[in-house]
């Protein structure tokens, strides 16, 4: 059994001062760095959007955090964030990235958002992470990072659905908590068989 730490989107735009800041997003960095040594593998994910992405409110002159309907279902329209090559898309400066065996980028398809580390938001287009984990014999995952109620949640539920043993370390996550989204995410993760530690 091989146990990997999956570090979700600890990027400047999701930390205080960023375009889509998660309250306390930077507070978890020291704990994540310390945890890395306890795992057989460390994988980082990175939101990586082209400018004008279809999930950006500015693409439609809409209000940030409003909703729209995409071919794959409802979509939050976000402030422009994590644009490829930007300072905001970079990992938090204090995050230990040298320990990562793999960095997986997501959200680079302009037509579809990608919260999960495993699938784009159509829930069918894979990122390739599942294959990587299986070929390495990794069957147990602990997830940490940003944000609990979106990218961590979607990644954890998908991982459990794919048959991985999944834990979310809640003390090393922070949430947006948009309109009750944190409580809904916690219920959904538990229902999917994810352990919330």
């Amino acid at each position: 059994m091989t146990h990997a730490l999956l570090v979700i989107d600890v990027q400047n735009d999701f930390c205080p001062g960023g375009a889509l800041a998660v309250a306390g997003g930077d507070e978890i960095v020291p704990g994540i760095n310390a945890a890395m040594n306890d795992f057989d593998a460390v994988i980082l994910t990175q939101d990586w959007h082209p400018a004008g992405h279809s999930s950006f409110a500015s693409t439609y002159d809409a209000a940030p955090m409003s909703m729209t309907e995409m071919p794959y279902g409802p979509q939050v329209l976000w402030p422009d964030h994590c644009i490829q090559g930007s300072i905001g898309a970079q990992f938090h400066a204090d995050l230990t990235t040298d320990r990562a065996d793999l960095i997986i980028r997501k959200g680079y398809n302009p037509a579809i958002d990608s919260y999960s580390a495993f699938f784009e938001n159509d829930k069918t287009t894979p990122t390739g992470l599942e294959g990587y984990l299986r070929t390495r014999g990794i069957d147990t995952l602990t997830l940490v990072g940003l944000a609990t109620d979106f990218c961590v949640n979607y990644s954890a539920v998908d991982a459990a659905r794919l048959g991985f043993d999944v834990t979310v370390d809640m003390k090393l996550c922070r949430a947006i908590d948009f309109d009750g989204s944190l409580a809904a995410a916690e219920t959904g993760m538990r229902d999917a068989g994810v352990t919330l530690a």
Side-chain angles (χ1 to χ4, degrees):
M1 176 169 65
T2 307
H3 194 169
L5 181 67
L6 186 52
V7 181
I8 305 291
D9 299 357
V10 182
Q11 294 167 259
N12 290 328
D13 269 345
F14 297 129
C15 291
L20 186 48
V22 179
D26 54 344
E27 298 168 358
I28 61 176
V29 174
I32 291 172
N33 289 340
M36 288 181 182
N37 293 325
D38 299 333
F39 293 86
D40 304 307
V42 175
I43 295 147
L44 309 181
T45 71
Q46 191 174 22
D47 230 21
W48 196 248
H49 297 302
H53 192 270
S54 61
S55 69
F56 290 170
S58 65
T59 302
Y60 313 92
D61 290 323
M65 311 305 278
S66 61
M67 298 292 295
T68 192
E69 200 61 35
M70 295 290 197
Y72 51 85
Q75 171 69 50
V76 179
L77 293 177
W78 303 106
D80 292 21
H81 66 281
C82 297
I83 294 170
Q84 296 171 0
S86 69
I87 299 292
Q90 291 175 9
F91 291 114
H92 188 283
D94 294 337
L95 184 70
T96 302
T97 56
D98 291 352
R99 179 66 178 79
D101 302 351
L102 176 73
I103 296 171
I104 193 153
R105 287 174 166 167
K106 59 191 181 62
Y108 50 78
N109 179 339
I112 186 167
D113 207 0
S114 187
Y115 299 155
S116 172
F118 292 91
F119 294 98
E120 293 184 348
N121 281 7
D122 61 4
K123 302 191 185 314
T124 55
T125 305
T127 63
L129 179 56
E130 179 192 4
Y132 175 84
L133 295 172
R134 297 218 188 276
T135 55
R136 286 204 53 192
I138 294 167
D139 57 10
T140 305
L141 300 172
T142 294
L143 277 69
V144 298
L146 305 170
T148 318
D149 39 346
F150 285 93
C151 296
V152 174
N153 168 34
Y154 277 68
S155 300
V157 168
D158 281 345
R161 187 165 55 85
L162 291 168
F164 293 95
D165 181 342
V166 186
T167 299
V168 172
D169 185 340
M170 297 295 282
K171 73 180 182 300
L172 294 179
C173 298
R174 293 292 182 272
I176 295 172
D177 204 10
F178 166 58
D179 199 21
S181 56
L182 178 58
E186 288 177 349
T187 299
M189 286 190 282
R190 285 195 185 97
D191 288 350
V194 175
T195 301
L196 304 185

Short mmCIF file of all heavy atoms in Angstrom, two decimals, residues 135-185:
data_model
loop_
_atom_site.label_atom_id
_atom_site.label_comp_id
_atom_site.label_asym_id
_atom_site.label_seq_id
_atom_site.Cartn_x
_atom_site.Cartn_y
_atom_site.Cartn_z
N THR A 135 -0.45 3.29 -11.78
CA THR A 135 0.81 2.72 -12.26
C THR A 135 1.89 2.77 -11.18
O THR A 135 2.81 1.96 -11.19
CB THR A 135 1.32 3.42 -13.54
OG1 THR A 135 1.43 4.82 -13.31
CG2 THR A 135 0.38 3.16 -14.71
N ARG A 136 1.75 3.68 -10.23
CA ARG A 136 2.70 3.75 -9.11
C ARG A 136 2.27 2.89 -7.93
O ARG A 136 2.99 2.83 -6.93
CB ARG A 136 2.87 5.20 -8.65
CG ARG A 136 3.70 6.03 -9.61
CD ARG A 136 4.34 7.21 -8.94
NE ARG A 136 5.12 6.87 -7.76
CZ ARG A 136 5.58 7.77 -6.89
NH1 ARG A 136 5.36 9.05 -7.08
NH2 ARG A 136 6.27 7.39 -5.84
N GLY A 137 1.11 2.26 -8.03
CA GLY A 137 0.64 1.41 -6.94
C GLY A 137 0.11 2.18 -5.75
O GLY A 137 0.03 1.66 -4.64
N ILE A 138 -0.27 3.43 -5.98
CA ILE A 138 -0.81 4.27 -4.89
C ILE A 138 -2.30 4.02 -4.77
O ILE A 138 -3.04 4.14 -5.75
CB ILE A 138 -0.53 5.76 -5.18
CG1 ILE A 138 0.97 6.03 -5.14
CG2 ILE A 138 -1.28 6.65 -4.19
CD1 ILE A 138 1.40 7.37 -5.69
N ASP A 139 -2.75 3.61 -3.58
CA ASP A 139 -4.18 3.34 -3.39
C ASP A 139 -4.81 4.13 -2.25
O ASP A 139 -6.02 4.06 -2.02
CB ASP A 139 -4.42 1.84 -3.17
CG ASP A 139 -3.63 1.28 -2.00
OD1 ASP A 139 -3.04 2.07 -1.23
OD2 ASP A 139 -3.57 0.04 -1.85
N THR A 140 -3.99 4.90 -1.54
CA THR A 140 -4.48 5.67 -0.39
C THR A 140 -4.05 7.12 -0.56
O THR A 140 -2.89 7.39 -0.85
CB THR A 140 -3.91 5.09 0.92
OG1 THR A 140 -4.23 3.70 0.98
CG2 THR A 140 -4.49 5.79 2.14
N LEU A 141 -5.01 8.03 -0.36
CA LEU A 141 -4.76 9.45 -0.58
C LEU A 141 -5.20 10.27 0.62
O LEU A 141 -6.27 10.02 1.19
CB LEU A 141 -5.54 9.96 -1.80
CG LEU A 141 -5.26 9.30 -3.15
CD1 LEU A 141 -6.26 9.80 -4.18
CD2 LEU A 141 -3.84 9.60 -3.60
N THR A 142 -4.38 11.23 0.99
CA THR A 142 -4.79 12.28 1.93
C THR A 142 -4.77 13.59 1.17
O THR A 142 -3.75 13.93 0.54
CB THR A 142 -3.87 12.33 3.15
OG1 THR A 142 -4.02 11.11 3.90
CG2 THR A 142 -4.22 13.50 4.06
N LEU A 143 -5.87 14.33 1.23
CA LEU A 143 -5.99 15.59 0.51
C LEU A 143 -5.92 16.76 1.48
O LEU A 143 -6.50 16.72 2.56
CB LEU A 143 -7.31 15.66 -0.26
CG LEU A 143 -7.35 14.98 -1.63
CD1 LEU A 143 -7.27 13.47 -1.51
CD2 LEU A 143 -8.62 15.37 -2.39
N VAL A 144 -5.23 17.81 1.04
CA VAL A 144 -5.13 19.07 1.76
C VAL A 144 -5.18 20.19 0.74
O VAL A 144 -5.00 19.95 -0.46
CB VAL A 144 -3.81 19.16 2.58
CG1 VAL A 144 -3.74 18.07 3.64
CG2 VAL A 144 -2.58 19.07 1.65
N GLY A 145 -5.44 21.41 1.17
CA GLY A 145 -5.33 22.54 0.26
C GLY A 145 -6.58 23.40 0.16
O GLY A 145 -7.37 23.52 1.09
N LEU A 146 -6.76 23.99 -1.03
CA LEU A 146 -7.76 25.03 -1.26
C LEU A 146 -8.60 24.72 -2.51
O LEU A 146 -8.06 24.25 -3.49
CB LEU A 146 -7.06 26.37 -1.46
CG LEU A 146 -6.10 26.79 -0.32
CD1 LEU A 146 -5.28 28.01 -0.74
CD2 LEU A 146 -6.85 27.05 0.97
N ALA A 147 -9.84 24.99 -2.45
CA ALA A 147 -10.64 25.29 -1.28
C ALA A 147 -11.42 24.04 -0.90
O ALA A 147 -11.82 23.27 -1.77
CB ALA A 147 -11.60 26.45 -1.56
N THR A 148 -11.67 23.87 0.41
CA THR A 148 -12.31 22.66 0.91
C THR A 148 -13.59 22.33 0.15
O THR A 148 -13.85 21.18 -0.19
CB THR A 148 -12.70 22.85 2.40
OG1 THR A 148 -11.65 23.50 3.10
CG2 THR A 148 -13.03 21.52 3.04
N ASP A 149 -14.40 23.36 -0.12
CA ASP A 149 -15.75 23.14 -0.65
C ASP A 149 -15.81 23.06 -2.17
O ASP A 149 -16.86 22.74 -2.73
CB ASP A 149 -16.71 24.22 -0.14
CG ASP A 149 -16.10 25.61 -0.08
OD1 ASP A 149 -14.87 25.75 -0.17
OD2 ASP A 149 -16.87 26.57 0.08
N PHE A 150 -14.70 23.32 -2.84
CA PHE A 150 -14.70 23.22 -4.30
C PHE A 150 -13.66 22.20 -4.77
O PHE A 150 -13.96 21.02 -4.92
CB PHE A 150 -14.55 24.60 -4.96
CG PHE A 150 -15.83 25.40 -4.87
CD1 PHE A 150 -16.06 26.27 -3.82
CD2 PHE A 150 -16.83 25.24 -5.82
CE1 PHE A 150 -17.26 26.97 -3.72
CE2 PHE A 150 -18.03 25.92 -5.74
CZ PHE A 150 -18.24 26.80 -4.69
N CYS A 151 -12.44 22.61 -4.99
CA CYS A 151 -11.48 21.70 -5.62
C CYS A 151 -11.09 20.52 -4.73
O CYS A 151 -10.92 19.40 -5.22
CB CYS A 151 -10.26 22.48 -6.10
SG CYS A 151 -10.72 23.65 -7.42
N VAL A 152 -10.96 20.74 -3.42
CA VAL A 152 -10.67 19.61 -2.51
C VAL A 152 -11.85 18.64 -2.51
O VAL A 152 -11.68 17.43 -2.66
CB VAL A 152 -10.36 20.11 -1.08
CG1 VAL A 152 -10.21 18.93 -0.12
CG2 VAL A 152 -9.08 20.95 -1.08
N ASN A 153 -13.05 19.18 -2.35
CA ASN A 153 -14.27 18.37 -2.33
C ASN A 153 -14.42 17.54 -3.60
O ASN A 153 -14.58 16.31 -3.54
CB ASN A 153 -15.47 19.32 -2.15
CG ASN A 153 -16.81 18.68 -2.38
OD1 ASN A 153 -17.02 17.51 -2.10
ND2 ASN A 153 -17.73 19.45 -2.92
N TYR A 154 -14.38 18.18 -4.74
CA TYR A 154 -14.56 17.46 -6.02
C TYR A 154 -13.48 16.39 -6.20
O TYR A 154 -13.76 15.29 -6.66
CB TYR A 154 -14.52 18.45 -7.20
CG TYR A 154 -15.83 19.14 -7.47
CD1 TYR A 154 -16.37 20.07 -6.57
CD2 TYR A 154 -16.54 18.89 -8.63
CE1 TYR A 154 -17.56 20.72 -6.83
CE2 TYR A 154 -17.74 19.54 -8.91
CZ TYR A 154 -18.25 20.45 -8.00
OH TYR A 154 -19.44 21.09 -8.26
N SER A 155 -12.24 16.72 -5.83
CA SER A 155 -11.15 15.75 -5.98
C SER A 155 -11.35 14.55 -5.06
O SER A 155 -11.14 13.40 -5.46
CB SER A 155 -9.81 16.42 -5.66
OG SER A 155 -9.56 17.50 -6.54
N ALA A 156 -11.76 14.81 -3.81
CA ALA A 156 -11.95 13.74 -2.84
C ALA A 156 -13.08 12.80 -3.25
O ALA A 156 -12.95 11.57 -3.18
CB ALA A 156 -12.22 14.33 -1.45
N VAL A 157 -14.19 13.38 -3.68
CA VAL A 157 -15.35 12.57 -4.09
C VAL A 157 -14.99 11.72 -5.31
O VAL A 157 -15.31 10.53 -5.37
CB VAL A 157 -16.57 13.47 -4.35
CG1 VAL A 157 -17.69 12.70 -5.04
CG2 VAL A 157 -17.07 14.07 -3.03
N ASP A 158 -14.31 12.32 -6.28
CA ASP A 158 -13.90 11.55 -7.46
C ASP A 158 -12.94 10.43 -7.09
O ASP A 158 -13.05 9.31 -7.59
CB ASP A 158 -13.27 12.46 -8.51
CG ASP A 158 -14.31 13.24 -9.32
OD1 ASP A 158 -15.50 12.87 -9.27
OD2 ASP A 158 -13.92 14.20 -10.01
N ALA A 159 -11.99 10.73 -6.21
CA ALA A 159 -11.03 9.71 -5.80
C ALA A 159 -11.72 8.53 -5.13
O ALA A 159 -11.43 7.36 -5.40
CB ALA A 159 -9.98 10.31 -4.87
N ALA A 160 -12.69 8.84 -4.25
CA ALA A 160 -13.44 7.77 -3.58
C ALA A 160 -14.25 6.96 -4.59
O ALA A 160 -14.31 5.72 -4.54
CB ALA A 160 -14.35 8.36 -2.51
N ARG A 161 -14.86 7.66 -5.55
CA ARG A 161 -15.66 6.99 -6.58
C ARG A 161 -14.80 6.06 -7.43
O ARG A 161 -15.26 5.02 -7.91
CB ARG A 161 -16.33 8.07 -7.46
CG ARG A 161 -17.31 7.56 -8.48
CD ARG A 161 -18.16 8.72 -9.03
NE ARG A 161 -17.39 9.81 -9.59
CZ ARG A 161 -16.92 9.84 -10.83
NH1 ARG A 161 -17.12 8.82 -11.65
NH2 ARG A 161 -16.25 10.89 -11.26
N LEU A 162 -13.53 6.42 -7.59
CA LEU A 162 -12.60 5.61 -8.37
C LEU A 162 -12.01 4.45 -7.57
O LEU A 162 -11.23 3.66 -8.10
CB LEU A 162 -11.46 6.49 -8.91
CG LEU A 162 -11.88 7.50 -9.99
CD1 LEU A 162 -10.76 8.51 -10.22
CD2 LEU A 162 -12.28 6.81 -11.28
N GLY A 163 -12.34 4.38 -6.27
CA GLY A 163 -11.91 3.25 -5.46
C GLY A 163 -10.70 3.49 -4.58
O GLY A 163 -10.20 2.55 -3.96
N PHE A 164 -10.23 4.72 -4.52
CA PHE A 164 -9.12 5.02 -3.62
C PHE A 164 -9.64 5.16 -2.19
O PHE A 164 -10.79 5.51 -1.96
CB PHE A 164 -8.41 6.31 -4.05
CG PHE A 164 -7.71 6.21 -5.37
CD1 PHE A 164 -8.33 6.60 -6.55
CD2 PHE A 164 -6.42 5.70 -5.44
CE1 PHE A 164 -7.69 6.50 -7.77
CE2 PHE A 164 -5.77 5.59 -6.66
CZ PHE A 164 -6.40 5.99 -7.83
N ASP A 165 -8.77 4.89 -1.22
CA ASP A 165 -9.05 5.13 0.20
C ASP A 165 -8.68 6.60 0.45
O ASP A 165 -7.51 6.98 0.31
CB ASP A 165 -8.20 4.18 1.04
CG ASP A 165 -8.44 4.33 2.54
OD1 ASP A 165 -8.98 5.36 2.96
OD2 ASP A 165 -8.07 3.41 3.28
N VAL A 166 -9.67 7.42 0.79
CA VAL A 166 -9.48 8.88 0.78
C VAL A 166 -9.77 9.51 2.14
O VAL A 166 -10.81 9.27 2.74
CB VAL A 166 -10.40 9.54 -0.27
CG1 VAL A 166 -10.10 11.04 -0.38
CG2 VAL A 166 -10.27 8.87 -1.63
N THR A 167 -8.83 10.34 2.58
CA THR A 167 -9.00 11.17 3.77
C THR A 167 -8.76 12.62 3.39
O THR A 167 -7.85 12.92 2.61
CB THR A 167 -8.00 10.75 4.87
OG1 THR A 167 -8.23 9.39 5.23
CG2 THR A 167 -8.12 11.63 6.11
N VAL A 168 -9.58 13.52 3.93
CA VAL A 168 -9.32 14.95 3.82
C VAL A 168 -8.90 15.44 5.20
O VAL A 168 -9.65 15.26 6.18
CB VAL A 168 -10.55 15.72 3.31
CG1 VAL A 168 -10.32 17.23 3.39
CG2 VAL A 168 -10.88 15.31 1.88
N ASP A 169 -7.70 16.01 5.29
CA ASP A 169 -7.20 16.57 6.55
C ASP A 169 -7.75 18.00 6.66
O ASP A 169 -7.20 18.94 6.09
CB ASP A 169 -5.68 16.56 6.55
CG ASP A 169 -5.09 17.01 7.87
OD1 ASP A 169 -5.80 17.69 8.65
OD2 ASP A 169 -3.91 16.69 8.13
N MET A 170 -8.86 18.13 7.39
CA MET A 170 -9.60 19.40 7.42
C MET A 170 -8.78 20.55 8.02
O MET A 170 -9.00 21.71 7.66
CB MET A 170 -10.91 19.22 8.19
CG MET A 170 -11.87 18.22 7.54
SD MET A 170 -12.48 18.74 5.92
CE MET A 170 -13.72 19.93 6.43
N LYS A 171 -7.83 20.22 8.91
CA LYS A 171 -7.07 21.32 9.51
C LYS A 171 -6.06 21.91 8.51
O LYS A 171 -5.57 23.02 8.72
CB LYS A 171 -6.37 20.86 10.79
CG LYS A 171 -5.18 19.96 10.62
CD LYS A 171 -4.58 19.58 11.97
CE LYS A 171 -3.34 18.69 11.81
NZ LYS A 171 -3.63 17.42 11.10
N LEU A 172 -5.80 21.19 7.43
CA LEU A 172 -4.88 21.69 6.41
C LEU A 172 -5.63 22.07 5.13
O LEU A 172 -5.10 22.00 4.02
CB LEU A 172 -3.79 20.66 6.11
CG LEU A 172 -2.84 20.38 7.27
CD1 LEU A 172 -1.82 19.32 6.90
CD2 LEU A 172 -2.13 21.66 7.74
N CYS A 173 -6.89 22.48 5.30
CA CYS A 173 -7.72 23.00 4.21
C CYS A 173 -8.39 24.29 4.68
O CYS A 173 -8.54 24.51 5.88
CB CYS A 173 -8.83 22.01 3.84
SG CYS A 173 -8.29 20.41 3.23
N ARG A 174 -8.80 25.10 3.75
CA ARG A 174 -9.63 26.26 4.05
C ARG A 174 -10.71 26.36 2.96
O ARG A 174 -10.48 25.95 1.82
CB ARG A 174 -8.82 27.57 4.09
CG ARG A 174 -7.82 27.67 5.24
CD ARG A 174 -8.50 27.77 6.60
NE ARG A 174 -7.54 27.91 7.68
CZ ARG A 174 -6.96 26.90 8.33
NH1 ARG A 174 -7.25 25.64 7.99
NH2 ARG A 174 -6.10 27.12 9.31
N ALA A 175 -11.87 26.92 3.33
CA ALA A 175 -13.04 26.92 2.44
C ALA A 175 -13.42 28.33 2.01
O ALA A 175 -13.16 29.30 2.72
CB ALA A 175 -14.22 26.27 3.14
N ILE A 176 -14.06 28.42 0.85
CA ILE A 176 -14.68 29.66 0.42
C ILE A 176 -15.98 29.86 1.20
O ILE A 176 -16.30 30.96 1.62
CB ILE A 176 -14.96 29.62 -1.10
CG1 ILE A 176 -13.64 29.56 -1.89
CG2 ILE A 176 -15.79 30.83 -1.54
CD1 ILE A 176 -13.80 29.33 -3.37
N ASP A 177 -16.72 28.78 1.40
CA ASP A 177 -18.03 28.76 2.07
C ASP A 177 -18.97 29.78 1.45
O ASP A 177 -19.47 30.70 2.08
CB ASP A 177 -17.90 28.98 3.59
CG ASP A 177 -19.11 28.39 4.33
OD1 ASP A 177 -19.90 27.66 3.68
OD2 ASP A 177 -19.26 28.65 5.53
N PHE A 178 -19.26 29.55 0.18
CA PHE A 178 -20.11 30.38 -0.65
C PHE A 178 -21.53 29.83 -0.59
O PHE A 178 -21.79 28.73 -1.06
CB PHE A 178 -19.54 30.36 -2.07
CG PHE A 178 -20.44 30.88 -3.15
CD1 PHE A 178 -20.92 32.16 -3.10
CD2 PHE A 178 -20.76 30.08 -4.25
CE1 PHE A 178 -21.73 32.64 -4.12
CE2 PHE A 178 -21.56 30.56 -5.27
CZ PHE A 178 -22.05 31.84 -5.20
N ASP A 179 -22.44 30.55 0.10
CA ASP A 179 -23.86 30.18 0.13
C ASP A 179 -24.08 28.76 0.67
O ASP A 179 -24.82 27.95 0.08
CB ASP A 179 -24.43 30.33 -1.28
CG ASP A 179 -25.96 30.42 -1.29
OD1 ASP A 179 -26.53 30.78 -0.22
OD2 ASP A 179 -26.56 30.14 -2.32
N GLY A 180 -23.41 28.44 1.78
CA GLY A 180 -23.59 27.12 2.41
C GLY A 180 -22.81 25.99 1.76
O GLY A 180 -23.06 24.81 2.04
N SER A 181 -21.84 26.35 0.92
CA SER A 181 -21.13 25.32 0.14
C SER A 181 -20.26 24.41 1.00
O SER A 181 -20.06 23.24 0.66
CB SER A 181 -20.28 25.96 -0.96
OG SER A 181 -19.38 26.92 -0.42
N LEU A 182 -19.77 24.90 2.14
CA LEU A 182 -18.90 24.06 2.97
C LEU A 182 -19.70 22.92 3.61
O LEU A 182 -19.28 21.76 3.55
CB LEU A 182 -18.20 24.89 4.06
CG LEU A 182 -17.31 24.09 5.02
CD1 LEU A 182 -16.22 23.33 4.27
CD2 LEU A 182 -16.70 25.00 6.07
N ALA A 183 -20.84 23.23 4.19
CA ALA A 183 -21.65 22.18 4.82
C ALA A 183 -22.10 21.15 3.79
O ALA A 183 -22.06 19.94 4.04
CB ALA A 183 -22.87 22.80 5.50
N ALA A 184 -22.49 21.63 2.61
CA ALA A 184 -22.91 20.71 1.55
C ALA A 184 -21.75 19.82 1.11
O ALA A 184 -21.93 18.61 0.88
CB ALA A 184 -23.44 21.50 0.35
N ALA A 185 -20.56 20.40 1.02
CA ALA A 185 -19.38 19.62 0.62
C ALA A 185 -19.03 18.57 1.66
O ALA A 185 -18.72 17.42 1.31
CB ALA A 185 -18.19 20.55 0.40
#
